[in-house]
Amino acid sequence: MKITLIGMGSGTPAGLTAAGRDALWGAELILGARRLLEQLPAECTPDRAALYRAQEICARLQRADIAAAAVVFSGDTGFYSGASALCRALDAAGLPYTVEPGVSSVQLLAAALHRPWQDWQLVSAHGCSCDPAAVCRNGKPAFFLTGGSETPATLCRALADAGWGHVKATVGENLGSTAERLVTDTVETLANLEFAPLSVLLVEPCPLLPARVPGWPDEAFLRGKTPMTKQEVRAAVLAKLAVRPGDTLWDVGAGTGSVSVEMALAAPAGRVCAVECDPEACALIRQNRAKFAVANLYLTEGRAPAALAGLPAPDAVFIGGSRGSMRQIVDAVLAANPAARLCISAIALETLQEAVAALTAHGLTAQVTQIAVSRSKQAGALHLLMANNPVFLIVRE
């Protein structure tokens, strides 16, 4: 039996390639989504079955005693298509087949906008979780397939909440059909509209902060009266933690969130959990998160170690404040991930001793680095050298 997997593009006969149309005309059995089967021309066989799951389709084909069968898919068979799972099932069953690709929704939208699409970032938010802010953080146009709980409006709402409400975006509805419609507006406006179930979203490049090494200037952060980890120490902390792009990170005792922001910028594909119990500090963390547009920074209001319960297991942790619970916080970190990279900041010698003791209790040794920062301060015509209190960074070994 000849089996052909066919991409139907927009789902109408007009969207078929010539090869796909010939395969449909010669098929004695056609399987696929009901919406696609209902669009087939009358000339095609009436023997059609609305099947979705790869194993069900494979089983139906194995029972068929015919010369030719076709399975139809919307869009292109190679772009987030159910054809992929069916290919694996057919291979496992030993059934030979051919694939006739179709026109994808990416191509349809690009054609409707008279634009090339080779530089777009392509993402599926159809029936799966998606962090649009993380996707849009690379400076490229981002194309989203939508469906299920993720619609163009929900994706735009997430982007607006991340501080990108002013960015332009386009929603393409029912592409390739007579009901095709394009809506271009700001992300904030699109977040408040409703769209057809068959829709895609294109978000124009979001403004990005300039790429740079960790250690942003202190004045870049909103701080109020809340203590803040200084620039030189922040740079050392990120270096000691060896933050990687996809890491899950904790900032315990986050203060203004300056370290949290630096972590989020260093791990754009990761997740940063800032834990802070002071309401004023929490407000500053939210403001700094918005200022730096780091939607991958999540704030937990509460006191550690209790507030650490339920957080995703960390790859690396910075403890900037413990409020007398150093031992319990270290216990919680190592319980969540015994291999977590850990850096602790201490100004008081008592805190240094507590941190070393907490690590020693787990059979770990500590590398202690003392940092003393001196900065010049203008006084009349003179510059005086002002020294801050030394900071100790304790790193597990």
Side-chain angles (χ1 to χ4, degrees), residues 1 26-31 45 47-49 60-61 64 66 68-71:
M1 176 175 56
E28 300 171 59
L29 170 66
I30 303 176
L31 309 175
T45 176
D47 190 3
R48 309 171 187 179
R60 180 68 178 84
L61 292 172
I66 53 177
V71 185

Side-chain angles (χ1 to χ4, degrees), residues 121-384:
Q121 184 171 3
L122 310 179
V123 181
S124 176
H126 182 83
C128 57
S129 60
C130 175
D131 184 353
V135 171
C136 294
R137 202 175 288 120
N138 68 358
K140 295 181 179 181
F143 173 93
F144 295 88
L145 285 175
T146 70
S149 61
E150 292 289 12
T151 68
T154 62
L155 294 172
C156 284
R157 172 49 55 203
L159 290 170
D161 291 344
W164 290 326
H166 62 287
V167 173
K168 292 287 187 179
T170 298
V171 176
E173 292 184 310
N174 301 310
L175 295 173
S177 73
T178 56
E180 177 177 294
R181 183 172 77 116
L182 301 179
V183 182
T184 300
D185 214 315
T186 64
V187 161
E188 181 64 50
T189 299
L190 297 176
N192 297 305
L193 302 179
E194 293 185 3
F195 300 98
L198 296 177
S199 295
V200 296
L201 173 68
L202 176 68
V203 181
E204 301 301 339
C206 295
L208 301 176
L209 293 168
R212 53 162 294 163
V213 296
W216 280 78
D218 293 345
E219 56 270 20
F221 298 92
L222 303 172
R223 60 180 298 184
K225 297 180 181 179
T226 302
M228 183 178 75
T229 303
K230 298 297 190 294
Q231 177 186 27
E232 294 82 1
V233 178
R234 270 184 277 113
V237 167
L238 270 288
K240 294 293 186 182
L241 289 176
V243 175
R244 299 171 298 200
D247 276 346
T248 296
L249 306 161
W250 291 2
D251 181 7
V252 183
T256 63
S258 62
V259 173
S260 298
V261 166
E262 297 258 21
M263 285 177 162
L265 292 171
R271 180 186 182 97
V272 177
C273 301
V275 179
E276 177 55 56
C277 62
D278 181 70
E280 182 179 346
C282 288
L284 285 168
I285 292 171
R286 294 189 185 93
Q287 293 173 47
N288 281 315
R289 176 176 61 188
K291 179 178 180 180
F292 285 84
V294 282
N296 57 330
L297 195 169
Y298 299 86
L299 172 62
T300 297
E301 294 190 51
R303 186 164 179 169
L308 304 177
L311 296 183
D315 296 296
V317 177
F318 173 61
I319 302 176
S322 62
R323 292 183 178 261
S325 301
M326 181 65 71
R327 174 70 177 270
Q328 294 88 339
I329 293 173
V330 171
D331 289 346
V333 168
L334 297 178
N337 179 11
R341 307 187 299 278
L342 182 60
C343 181
I344 304 168
S345 174
I347 295 176
L349 289 176
E350 292 81 1
T351 306
L352 171 61
Q353 293 167 351
E354 291 171 1
V356 172
L359 292 171
T360 302
H362 287 270
L364 301 172
T365 57
Q367 178 195 75
V368 180
T369 302
Q370 181 179 355
I371 301 176
V373 179
S374 297
R375 295 178 178 175
S376 63
K377 182 177 181 180
Q378 188 167 355
L382 300 176
H383 284 268
L384 303 179

